Amino acid sequence: MSVLAEIIAGVREDLEQRRAVVGDADIVSAAADAPPARDAFRALGGATAPADRDSRLRVISEVKRKSPSKGALADIPEPAELARQYAAGGAAVISVLTERRRFGGSLEDFDAVRAAVDVPLLRKDFTVEPYQIHEARAHGADLVLLIVAALEDTELVQLLELTRSLGMEALVEAHTEEEVDRAVAAGARIIGVNVRNLKTLEVDRSTFSRLADRIPSHAVIVAESGVRGIDDVVSFAERGADAILVGEALVKDQDPTAAVAAFSEAGSAAKPPRRN
Ligand SMILES: O=P(O)(O)OC[C@@H](O)[C@@H](O)c1c[nH]c2ccccc12
């Protein structure tokens, strides 16, 4: 089994335990009762008219305790405090991992961050079922992750529709040319190029420009993973990223506020004017 398949098997088990506590009908009504979602597409620089787009690079800052590739990254005793620091640095979106087994995340972490900041939040998990999307919304998420490699085309389309019907958007993650094409065909407006292969955990930063070139200009392009510092930020920005998603480098930084601000500033200076 690939790493991705193993992670998803665990995610499904954990999901069934939560479902036994909060049933389908209850999660659907909790999602319906939640305050409206924030506009994550706009927060990431997306606009319906190309002329309305600017050339700032947005930073999606991630609350990430550990990972299957690197093990423990940071203690993060207070995810809320880290999120406040990210927000103070100008994070456009904050990503909170909720996968427990491999990433040490939880919905409790998500709730703590939701209570602390008003920026749009990404619930970062391996979304394979409608339940998780209702659950994300019930907890105040504005954006969910849909990983193309984990879904059939029909599932991808259905989960994307459900996400939007709840007022949220999806970050649709691809790692190959074929996956980018599937994301575009499904109607994704926010497309992430993950330079880490979730099946082998290897990072290859050159994946980014190869795949970004296939993404139509109306979509927001997110470079995911592998940002070690300013040089990687500049390189992704030069190659067409509208946003970057950064975990490890930020959770390990002594001053996450300054790091987010420095990434936004350097990336924005390097970003070429928008193609139309
Ligand atoms: O810590 P990094 O290398 O900056 O990576 C962040 C983010 O891209 C990574 O956490 C990620 C990208 N796609 C995912 C899917 C599931 C879990 C995690 C991820």
Side-chain angles (χ1 to χ4, degrees):
M1 247 203 294
S2 71
V3 182
L4 180 61
E6 276 174 32
I7 294 175
I8 289 174
V11 162
R12 285 191 186 278
E13 277 181 38
D14 289 351
L15 167 59
E16 290 316 323
Q17 287 188 8
R18 296 198 304 280
R19 205 204 298 267
V21 179
V22 182
D24 285 329
D26 287 339
I27 206 70
V28 168
S29 64
D33 292 345
R38 296 153 190 79
D39 190 341
F41 179 67
R42 238 189 37 206
L44 291 172
T48 346
D52 293 341
R53 297 183 70 147
D54 57 42
S55 64
R56 271 168 51 209
L57 182 88
R58 267 74 178 181
V59 179
I60 306 177
S61 309
E62 187 156 279
V63 177
K64 186 180 192 183
R65 297 176 184 277
K66 60 178 192 176
S67 73
S69 54
K70 298 277 181 79
L73 298 172
D75 275 346
I76 319 186
E78 290 202 55
E81 182 48 32
L82 179 59
R84 276 188 215 104
Q85 292 176 324
Y86 286 163
V93 166
I94 295 174
S95 166
V96 183
L97 269 155
T98 59
E99 197 280 342
R100 181 177 65 85
R101 301 180 186 212
R102 300 301 193 101
F103 293 88
S106 64
L107 281 165
E108 287 71 35
D109 280 357
F110 190 92
D111 291 343
V113 170
R114 180 68 295 166
V117 298
D118 199 33
V119 295
L121 294 192
L122 165 63
R123 182 200 180 174
K124 190 79 160 333
D125 211 315
F126 296 79
T127 312
V128 285
E129 284 220 19
Y131 185 95
Q132 295 164 289
I133 296 181
H134 290 290
E135 186 177 50
R137 189 74 277 279
H139 286 262
D142 308 293
L143 193 60
V144 295
L145 181 69
L146 297 178
I147 301 172
V148 176
L151 301 166
E152 304 288 339
D153 283 339
T154 50
E155 293 174 316
L156 180 59
V157 169
Q158 280 167 8
L159 293 175
L160 189 55
E161 272 172 15
L162 173 63
T163 300
R164 289 182 179 149
S165 76
L166 297 178
M168 298 186 289
E169 254 302 337
L171 169 60
V172 181
E173 176 175 309
H175 179 69
T176 63
E177 277 91 343
E178 191 224 339
E179 288 172 13
V180 166
D181 296 350
R182 291 177 55 205
V184 172
R189 300 204 291 168
I190 307 175
I191 299 180
V193 173
N194 192 1
V195 302
R196 182 177 293 114
N197 181 336
L198 287 177
K199 295 178 178 161
T200 61
L201 302 180
E202 267 160 44
V203 169
D204 176 2
R205 291 174 190 76
S206 73
T207 312
F208 180 75
S209 43
R210 218 169 9 103
L211 270 55
D213 288 348
R214 303 173 80 85
I215 301 176
S217 61
H218 64 265
V220 165
I221 306 177
V222 183
E224 298 181 31
S225 310
V227 168
R228 293 159 295 190
I230 297 279
D231 290 353
D232 291 325
V233 174
V234 165
S235 149
F236 284 140
E238 284 173 348
R239 289 169 172 73
D242 298 308
I244 51 170
L245 200 171
V246 191
E248 180 178 354
L250 292 177
V251 298
K252 285 188 167 169
D253 202 291
Q254 291 307 303
D255 187 347
T257 299
V260 172
F263 287 178
S264 319
E265 197 183 324
S268 299
K271 198 171 179 306
R274 186 77 201 171
R275 351 158 243 154
N276 282 320

